Amino acid sequence: MAQPDSKKIFFENLSGAGKAIAVLTSGGDAQGMNAAVRAVVRMGLYVGAKVYFIHEGYQGMVDGGENIREATWESVSSMLQVGGTVIGSARCKEFRSHEGRLKAAHNLVQRGITNLCVIGGDGSLTGANLFREEWSGLLGELVEQGAIEEDSVQKYSALHIVGMVGSIDNDFCGTDMTIGTDSALHRIIEVVDAIMTTAQSHQRTFVLEVMGRHCGYLALVSALACGADWVLIPEMPPEDGWEEKMCQKLSATRSRGTRLNIIIVAEGAIDRHGKPITSSFVKDLVVKCLGFDTRVTILGHVQRGGTPSAFDRILASRMGVEAVLALLETTANTPACVVSLCGNQSVRLPLMECVQMTQEVQKAMDQKRFEEAVKLRGRSFENNLRTYKLLAHRKPESELPTSNFNVAVLNVGAPAAGMNAAVRSAVRVGISEGHKMFAVSDGFEGFYKGQIKEIKWADVGGWTGQGGSLLGTKRTLPAKHVDKIAEQMRMHNINALLVIGGFEAFESLLQLFDARATYEEFCIPMCMLPATISNNVPGTDLSIGADTALNAIVETCDRIKQSASGTKRRVFIIETMGGYCGYLASVGGLAAGADAAYIYEESFDIRDLQANVEHLTEKMKTSIQRGLVLRNENCNDNYTTDFIYQLYSEEGRGVFDCRKNVLGHMQQGGAPSPFDRNFGTKISAKAMQWITKKLSETFRQGRVFANSEDTCCLLGMRRRALVFQPVVQLKGETDFVHRIPQEQWWLKLRPLMKILAKYKTSYDVSDSGQLEHVLRTRPKESDASVAM
């Protein structure tokens, strides 16, 4: 941890002593709400504030009594993995009335609560802001009625509000993702993957209806994640005559040998005249026009259920901590804010600016200004829609541009879930751009052996949901075979290269860049997409495959902890993959509620291990019955998983017993998560458009010649921005011995994990969100929303 300076504020400088914070969930429930509640409670207690639960949302605030209860550290134990909201949520008509808000104000003042953390949708947050604006007047009325003393008006003069958006629909403007959306996508994709197997058996068409009364995000992103044939959403109704076009598309797909069709319908889907398009209408249309065996599946509240995904747990935990920080820093003049996510960074936005923007979307849709509605939804939504259109609707050969360029795509390094989605996207976008696409099997090993063949649009159908690498992948680097690779590039006239992989892919591009001095064949545009579960590639915050691995870790940890539900006091030692990179152990630990995570980047010794054992021993003497310790596989040569297991077993004897588990390659397998499917799909599409641009710029006198640094790049997400970075410039940011970046953003999350596990530690808040304003259109260069 860096030392404090003028730009950095540490926890010791922030005091919540004397403050009372109340947390409530309101409106519809969403997976991850409990993780947010847990983070608010534990962070609040950590800074010395009193924290209260308000049960049953605003109804509980109005009714008071036992509905408003003081929270303890133990009262939020074992709730991280629970779906829904354990403190309850309810619609409350009474709170909408002045009298109801007067009762609520009285209940809060009685307990000295002047800081509210509200987790809900735009209606809940709007109600909270109105409550804040009326606060001083409400206190005045309570004094007149004799309900409170006059000095209470001065003592509790201002009500401070911070919001977090919990909504599976992702229908709130100002944030790339709302709490619960990713988990809802998991439920949808699980159903789609299951349906695909039965549909293929019978040559069926399935119409899936998903939630989204006013927002088509779930329908759009799930269509992108499963490669659906058609999607219908409220923000962008289909053009008149869509019925015939859809049936033509389904027929053409089936004629090419595909055994199933998937159509996804948002429950609020409409046509250009505002008439609802129902799933049953779509089914009847397909049966009538095509005679296809067609079934309807309405997912309903399945999408709200189940355990929260790793993404939602991490998002909710980060937002919960940020909300407490915002409440500590607020003043009487600070507007109510909402904690949001922009790219990979937390931001604070004025609550009412976000609410007004959200309401403008609905107004635009009501007035049939659909293009504007899509823009108001934000760049994330726009990019999803653009990418879906690019990949799902194949133009006739006569309409395609003719570039006469050949582009090769290959996977390098260990397999990672989402690689196949990236290859599919590259192939289809490349064909749409007029290129001839070539697939290379088995990485650079297959390249020098000549395992190169043209790959067509239909060849990559159904690839998005496949795990591993269908092209095959090897760790072989090109340097030893550079002459044979150059020969193969010459033979196939390869004009550009897209490499999808991990650290080996990064090293490969560096070697090919160096080879340009000797072989002109490598003087072509080359781009790398980071794809590795270890998330250890320099130049990017996130890699394709890491989210799927995190979910595998979190699901396993949940099951392991559940196995001890009938056992008193047990600690589990879990070993994760990642090489020397501690990303999976640290972020997986945060998502699973670990007590400690040992990694190479943060050195530790026997005294640290002893302190952790003592900490767990102390916790076990209270109501905490289970402990979880994660260890990155290469964190220390001497302190092995066996050593730590034996140490904990010996030192904890009489208080707790131990079990160990090495997760191994199960972290690398399985179907890709919705995040990885979409991340892979969208950054691959962006990379192919960059390649097209570079091919055009470097084509001179009948040939492509590209030898500048900016024609050999890695596309990575940095905070809020997706950036093409020359691989040569990333060399200085890389520890090649341990195959990790020299600086890693997620290390700032480690103190957060410790705080939520009740350790006394400092927390650097210099990187916490600052109050900003909602931008109608974010600048293109700072668009990281395609990652979502």
Side-chain angles (χ1 to χ4, degrees), residues 121 208 246 286 340 343 386 390 411 432 501 514 523 543 620 679 727 768:
L208 263 78
M246 184 186 76
V286 174
S340 300
R386 193 183 306 117
L390 201 58
N411 295 334
S432 297
D514 290 340
C523 293
S543 300
M620 290 288 176
F679 189 41
V727 290
S768 64

Side-chain angles (χ1 to χ4, degrees), residues 109-131:
V109 169
Q110 280 183 317
R111 294 163 179 82
I113 299 169
T114 55
N115 296 279
L116 273 186
C117 186
V118 181
I119 309 166
D122 61 337
S124 304
L125 298 178
T126 304
N129 191 63
L130 175 62
F131 191 39

Side-chain angles (χ1 to χ4, degrees), residues 355-613:
V355 168
Q356 284 156 13
M357 179 82 83
T358 305
Q359 291 169 349
E360 281 182 44
V361 177
Q362 190 57 50
K363 193 185 293 183
M365 287 161 62
D366 292 342
Q367 295 173 359
K368 299 183 173 55
R369 294 180 282 116
F370 298 114
E371 296 282 349
E372 189 180 337
V374 169
K375 282 190 170 63
L376 287 167
R377 278 275 180 237
R379 295 199 65 85
S380 174
F381 195 92
E382 268 191 288
N383 277 315
N384 283 316
L385 187 57
R386 193 183 306 117
T387 309
Y388 177 78
K389 287 177 178 177
L390 201 58
L391 296 171
H393 302 295
R394 185 181 183 183
K395 291 180 183 176
E397 298 284 341
S398 57
E399 292 181 25
L400 290 174
T402 50
S403 71
N404 297 318
F405 291 124
N406 294 344
V407 181
V409 57
L410 68 159
N411 295 334
V412 177
M419 276 182 163
N420 297 320
V423 172
R424 170 186 176 267
S425 177
V427 169
R428 292 197 168 179
V429 173
I431 290 169
S432 297
E433 300 275 343
H435 309 317
K436 190 181 279 191
M437 298 300 296
F438 287 84
V440 182
S441 300
D442 296 334
F444 283 107
E445 188 172 310
F447 212 133
Y448 82 79
K449 290 178 179 177
Q451 294 169 213
I452 305 165
K453 64 176 184 179
E454 188 179 352
I455 187 165
K456 301 289 185 70
W457 186 282
D459 296 336
V460 291
W463 278 33
T464 50
Q466 300 288 320
S469 166
L470 293 173
L471 285 185
T473 181
K474 294 282 177 72
R475 296 178 184 272
T476 308
L477 297 178
K480 288 182 182 177
H481 311 284
V482 73
D483 52 341
K484 291 180 181 176
I485 293 170
E487 185 184 332
Q488 291 294 335
M489 292 186 77
R490 194 163 53 249
M491 282 172 57
H492 292 89
N493 190 28
I494 302 299
N495 306 117
L497 206 57
L498 180 66
V499 182
I500 303 165
F503 203 87
E504 291 90 352
F506 173 63
E507 290 181 301
S508 297
L509 245 63
L510 285 171
Q511 291 179 2
L512 294 182
F513 180 83
D514 290 340
R516 281 177 170 180
T518 313
Y519 299 92
E520 283 195 358
E521 287 81 4
F522 300 117
C523 293
I524 58 172
M526 294 185 278
C527 185
M528 177 202 158
L529 301 180
T532 167
I533 69 164
S534 302
N535 199 31
N536 63 330
V537 179
T540 188
D541 289 354
L542 300 170
S543 300
I544 299 164
D547 183 72
T548 305
L550 278 178
N551 278 289
I553 291 166
V554 167
E555 285 167 21
T556 307
C557 287
D558 285 352
R559 292 184 184 189
I560 286 169
K561 286 199 289 186
Q562 193 179 46
S563 73
S565 59
T567 308
K568 292 285 183 183
R569 302 187 180 119
R570 179 164 287 170
V571 174
F572 295 94
I573 315 295
I574 313 288
E575 183 185 299
T576 66
M577 292 175 82
Y580 285 96
C581 180
Y583 176 81
L584 291 179
S586 295
V587 182
L590 177 60
D595 294 277
Y598 301 117
I599 62 170
Y600 166 77
E601 293 91 340
E602 198 172 280
S603 59
F604 60 97
D605 57 25
I606 195 70
R607 288 181 295 275
D608 297 309
L609 291 169
Q610 183 64 36
N612 292 152
V613 173

